[in-house]
Amino acid sequence: MHRRIPLLLGAAVASLALAVPPAAASAATASPASQAGGDHDRGRGGDRGHDPGTGRADTRDLTRWAADTWASLDAMTDPRTGLAADHIDAGLETPSEYTSPTNIGGYLWSTVAARDAGIISTREARERMRATLDSLEVMERHEPSGQFYNWYSPTTREKLTEWPGSGDPLHPFLSTVDNGWLAASLRIVAAADRKLERQATGLYRSMDFSWFHDLEGREGKNLNRGGFWVEQPGETCAEPGNYGDDGPDVYYTCHWYDTTVSEARIATYIGIANGQIPASAYYTTYRTMPDQGCDFGWQEQKPEGETRTYRTGRGETVETYEGTYAYDGMRLVPAWGGSMFEALMPDLLVPEADWGKRSWAANHEATVRAQIHHGLDEAGYGYWGFSPSSNPEGGYREYGVESIGISSDGYGSDVEKTDVDLGYEGCREAANPEPDFGDGVVTPHAAFLALPYEKRAAIDNLRRIETELGAYGKGGFLDAATTSSGQLAQVHLSLDQSMIMAAISNELSRDALKGYFVDRAFERTVRPLVAQQRFGTRLR
């Protein structure tokens, strides 16, 4: 998700999605908790474990941050419906009047994290999650696919058809990536609490991701669409179709999720594990755009790489251009906008670095190093952590390290939206290769995502954001802060808070959320695909 308000379906959505061909019942559709043992089972997570280097002071701060973050999630959740609002003010008084599948899913895994941290009791956690599951069972869905619409009232559970407050018309939309995060949370609940396993698993199994997957895609690549509407959405670009081959046609977005380093890959993992989309979809997305003359000369920089051939397990092979970008003496696979959550949010639940020793392990490390270098050295902000968040000046904005984003006019890291233009050899002259950056904007959730890779730097950075920038309140870290002018976004977004909860939980409890998310069937299907992949990433 990480796209809000009316920008939901424009270029702002450019990095989320999934889909699948007619759902095939595979071994992976067995209960997500099929390997669970007791009331709280760790399942099969990563191998990283808790770093013994975490000191007592670090643990105290992480625990305090988790408790305060949970307070904001508690305040924005309706106790009757168990649905978390999209955001709440820093005073924890006025939650928004809308929620999404991602907001709901993030609240569910945050409840598990709060329970495991001892912030709430097992009984309270179960009551909270049961209320949410009860609501999900009665909320209106697209019946043929079982997928959820993107905006609901958190107090009435009703699907929204007009925007709260303004009354502007809202065409009900079903988002690939948002449903992916909700489905992920249902796997976690099923494995984390035996008494809720049947209910959570029933909801999970009812979601058919084949509805989102275009087998023909673009340029011969099978890709996930951004989502679909059940009716033509006014003048918005939409294409009629029916990938689920059931019921009336729907209207698909005119864009696909075609980049590899994207938060949308969570839906791809789930669709493949469920047998609802082909395994080849893991390899058909772009690492960078191809290096094909000037046809792709619009991208941020000229990539380097080679084409590799991967096997999908069914005798099929996929050829993939493993391109990389250069940055600070490294080579890495970029995200669309160069933001932290595009690269690292799926890693909160899928043990990508453990399974992808020749791909994600180095690339996640490179992404974190690039963010740190940009904030401290290249731009000189004194702080780092760039990702879509609230805008301290009001509203919502996408932030990132533009030099490591595919889009040549991608996500800037400062208030001024400073553009980095490195040029493209033979196609585009460099217009601004060494810009002067302005007032940086950092968002704490981005630094939390870096915990598994640069823990010392992440914790020190967060302490300084709290104490020096003052970006902290009774609901935990405020959503964003400027590094020079002292402006603060006086709001908490439920998605960003739930990323913080997941990151702290994994750090303090041996990757517990990954353990709940992954069962043997999922690992058997997905791990070989991840392990086979070879990025061209190179660290200093």
Side-chain angles (χ1 to χ4, degrees):
M1 180 194 165
H2 231 287
R3 306 287 187 270
R4 293 184 169 53
I5 323 282
L7 289 178
L8 175 66
L9 294 171
V13 237
S15 67
L16 320 141
L18 157 65
V20 242
S26 73
T29 58
S31 163
S34 58
Q35 308 305 325
D39 210 27
H40 305 166
D41 187 86
R42 290 288 184 249
R44 300 173 62 80
D47 304 321
R48 179 176 68 88
H50 179 59
D51 185 340
T54 303
R56 291 182 179 178
D58 295 339
T59 300
R60 281 196 301 270
D61 276 345
L62 289 168
T63 303
R64 173 174 62 85
W65 291 335
D68 291 342
T69 302
W70 172 252
S72 70
L73 287 162
D74 176 29
M76 69 178 81
T77 302
D78 186 287
R80 183 179 65 88
T81 66
L83 302 180
D86 182 83
H87 62 269
I88 194 169
D89 62 285
L92 307 186
E93 295 177 353
T94 310
S96 67
E97 298 178 65
Y98 52 92
T99 188
S100 73
T102 295
N103 299 148
I104 297 166
Y107 169 71
L108 283 171
W109 75 60
S110 295
T111 303
V112 173
R115 180 201 68 185
D116 289 355
I119 298 169
I120 59 176
S121 68
T122 298
R123 180 176 180 178
E124 179 181 346
R126 181 175 297 136
E127 289 174 350
R128 285 175 174 273
M129 291 189 290
R130 181 175 286 125
T132 307
L133 298 178
D134 287 347
S135 288
L136 289 170
E137 288 182 331
V138 301
M139 286 160 59
E140 182 179 351
R141 292 194 262 175
H142 174 247
E143 289 301 327
S145 69
Q147 300 289 355
F148 288 83
Y149 290 95
N150 219 45
W151 302 110
Y152 295 89
S153 164
T155 56
T156 69
R157 309 183 184 92
E158 293 178 352
K159 178 185 71 178
L160 296 180
T161 57
E162 61 180 40
W163 203 252
S166 70
D168 292 339
L170 181 62
H171 300 286
F173 176 71
L174 295 100
S175 161
T176 303
V177 66
D178 286 88
N179 276 287
W181 289 114
L182 177 57
S185 75
L186 294 172
R187 292 181 63 89
I188 291 170
V189 172
D193 193 320
R194 283 294 203 184
K195 294 184 178 179
L196 300 178
E197 176 187 352
R198 183 174 181 179
Q199 189 177 17
T201 299
L203 284 161
Y204 176 78
R205 287 176 171 172
S206 71
M207 301 172 72
D208 180 0
F209 283 89
S210 70
W211 278 83
F212 295 118
H213 193 68
D214 184 353
L215 287 170
E216 297 180 358
R218 190 175 66 184
E219 299 174 353
K221 293 174 174 286
N222 56 303
L223 299 166
N224 297 321
R225 291 273 188 171
F228 61 84
W229 299 265
V230 294
E231 298 178 352
Q232 172 64 40
E235 298 182 1
T236 301
C237 182
E239 299 179 3
N242 191 322
Y243 303 150
D245 197 27
D246 181 23
D249 281 1
V250 296
Y251 294 84
Y252 288 100
T253 62
C254 291
H255 73 273
W256 294 263
Y257 287 122
D258 57 1
T259 56
T260 300
V261 180
S262 163
E263 72 280 12
R265 66 186 183 273
I266 189 64
T268 304
Y269 285 133
I270 289 172
I272 291 173
N274 290 354
Q276 296 168 339
I277 67 173
S280 59
Y282 185 69
Y283 301 117
T284 54
T285 52
Y286 291 112
R287 279 50 170 166
T288 62
M289 296 296 110
D291 180 15
Q292 296 178 350
C294 294
D295 288 347
F296 291 92
W298 53 264
Q299 62 182 308
E300 185 65 53
Q301 59 175 276
K302 188 179 181 68
E304 291 183 6
E306 61 184 48
T307 298
R308 296 196 174 102
T309 301
Y310 297 107
R311 291 181 171 81
T312 65
R314 294 184 177 181
E316 301 173 318
T317 59
V318 179
E319 290 192 346
T320 301
Y321 176 64
E322 293 290 358
T324 60
Y325 281 1
Y327 186 75
D328 188 36
M330 302 181 291
R331 299 210 66 90
L332 76 165
V333 181
W336 177 257
S339 73
M340 195 77 94
F341 104 107
E342 292 173 282
L344 290 172
M345 187 176 176
D347 187 59
L348 290 171
L349 305 184
V350 181
E352 292 180 319
D354 291 326
W355 293 358
K357 297 296 187 185
R358 299 182 299 176
S359 55
W360 296 112
N363 212 68
H364 289 338
E365 178 74 27
T367 298
V368 172
R369 290 187 187 182
Q371 289 249 337
I372 295 172
H373 173 75
H374 178 71
L376 301 186
D377 301 316
E378 182 182 28
Y381 298 139
Y383 310 87
W384 56 272
F386 310 98
S387 199
S389 67
S390 299
N391 183 345
E393 296 183 333
Y396 185 80
R397 234 193 81 187
E398 293 159 322
Y399 300 96
V401 178
E402 202 206 350
S403 297
I404 58 168
I406 294 173
S407 174
S408 59
D409 57 352
Y411 307 169
S413 63
D414 57 8
V415 171
E416 294 81 2
K417 299 184 181 180
T418 299
D419 179 55
V420 179
D421 189 339
L422 304 175
Y424 196 96
E425 183 182 348
C427 304
R428 190 183 82 242
E429 293 295 325
N432 197 19
E434 297 182 0
D436 292 324
F437 293 92
D439 193 3
V441 181
V442 292
T443 180
H445 80 259
F448 277 102
L449 291 174
L451 279 172
Y453 304 99
E454 294 288 348
K455 180 171 59 182
R456 177 79 276 126
I459 291 176
D460 289 347
N461 184 51
L462 287 162
R463 284 175 175 150
R464 295 176 59 241
I465 290 173
E466 177 183 5
T467 58
E468 296 174 9
L469 297 183
Y472 204 84
K474 58 185 178 182
F477 283 94
L478 301 177
D479 202 52
T482 59
T483 58
S484 297
S485 62
Q487 295 182 88
L488 302 173
Q490 297 288 340
V491 67
H492 301 290
L493 303 190
S494 62
L495 171 59
D496 297 353
Q497 298 298 80
S498 66
M499 281 192 275
I500 291 173
M501 289 296 293
I504 295 175
S505 176
N506 283 333
E507 179 58 40
L508 295 181
S509 58
R510 302 180 61 84
D511 284 339
L513 290 184
K514 295 179 184 180
Y516 296 132
F517 178 79
V518 175
D519 63 9
R520 288 191 177 94
F522 185 97
E523 182 172 2
R524 186 167 57 246
T525 304
V526 174
R527 184 169 187 167
L529 300 174
V530 179
Q532 182 183 196
Q533 183 170 249
R534 290 176 59 200
F535 287 167
T537 308
R538 187 171 67 244
L539 299 171
R540 289 193 304 273

